[in-house]
Amino acid sequence: MGKIVVAEFISADGIIENPAWTAPYWNDRIGDFKNPEIFDADALLLGRTTYEGFAAAWPEHPEVGEYKDRINAMPKYVATTTATELEWNATRIEGDLAEAIGKLRAEQDLVVFGSGTLVDFLRANNLVDEYRLVVYPVHLGKGLRLFNDVDTKATLELTSSATLDNGVQLNVLTVTANELA
């Protein structure tokens, strides 16, 4: 049985949209936290918007090295009802989305970057196993939030946490129950 890991850059007030605001905080400790996400996963699971942004950026990304090679080579599964022609080693998820993702999860470890609408869907269908959150000490006020108004409840166990000198928090939370009693 695989798992689905949601890996996000997130502001202190919960915003995950367009994380260009994270750049001034980047350091090697954040890189060390992020690298296992891509190397431990068998495939990426992405929403259409995130897929399109990544597919436009990563093949020609100026970064050189194993991370770029890995993200470009690994399989990608895209949840979309509109995109029919996918490149960049990507497959459109067909049929019932929850069922199809459940089958993928049963066979492999998947990591989700960005993809806020997809994350809401995964959470609503009890398909998230772990959150890996890089929490930045900024308040953005508005934008797409990680935990939107989805009618679900879950118990999360903080399994790892570190606060960096620049105020960034590196948190791993495991979903231990999808319904609170």
Side-chain angles (χ1 to χ4, degrees):
M1 175 78 168
K3 66 180 180 178
I4 295 178
V5 174
V6 172
E8 301 286 358
F9 293 133
I10 184 169
S11 68
D13 60 336
I15 306 298
I16 60 171
E17 186 174 12
N18 299 321
W21 41 268
T22 66
Y25 294 91
W26 188 263
N27 62 34
D28 289 342
R29 294 264 325 265
I30 296 170
D32 292 343
F33 180 78
K34 296 296 290 174
N35 279 341
E37 295 167 354
I38 200 81
F39 289 100
D40 292 347
D42 299 307
L44 290 177
L45 176 61
L46 302 170
R48 180 194 49 83
T49 302
T50 301
Y51 161 77
E52 289 174 349
F54 279 26
W58 275 106
E60 303 302 321
H61 196 278
E63 180 176 319
V64 176
E66 293 177 350
Y67 191 93
K68 177 183 175 182
D69 294 344
R70 173 72 175 149
I71 200 167
N72 282 320
M74 70 189 314
K76 290 108 184 145
Y77 298 100
V78 182
T80 179
T81 57
T82 57
T84 56
E85 305 270 334
L86 301 177
E87 298 176 1
W88 194 49
N89 200 23
T91 302
R92 180 181 175 186
I93 300 171
E94 300 287 344
D96 179 87
L97 189 58
E99 184 179 317
I101 292 173
K103 286 180 182 176
L104 290 170
R105 175 185 180 214
E107 300 167 357
Q108 56 197 315
D109 291 330
L110 305 165
V111 65
V112 181
F113 295 133
S115 306
T117 302
L118 174 60
V119 171
D120 286 345
F121 177 84
L122 295 171
R123 192 170 38 258
N125 287 277
N126 297 325
L127 291 167
V128 177
D129 298 292
E130 182 177 283
Y131 294 93
R132 291 179 57 88
L133 306 178
V134 180
V135 184
Y136 290 83
V138 296
H139 176 275
L140 298 174
K142 57 183 166 175
L144 181 64
R145 295 183 187 282
L146 175 59
F147 296 105
N148 291 301
D149 195 19
V150 176
D151 191 20
T152 61
K153 295 179 181 177
T155 301
L156 308 175
E157 178 184 346
L158 182 64
T159 56
S160 173
S161 183
T163 301
L164 307 183
D165 291 343
N166 61 5
V168 171
Q169 294 179 342
L170 310 175
N171 297 317
V172 178
L173 297 114
T174 301
V175 177
T176 59
N178 283 313
E179 293 284 338
L180 292 176

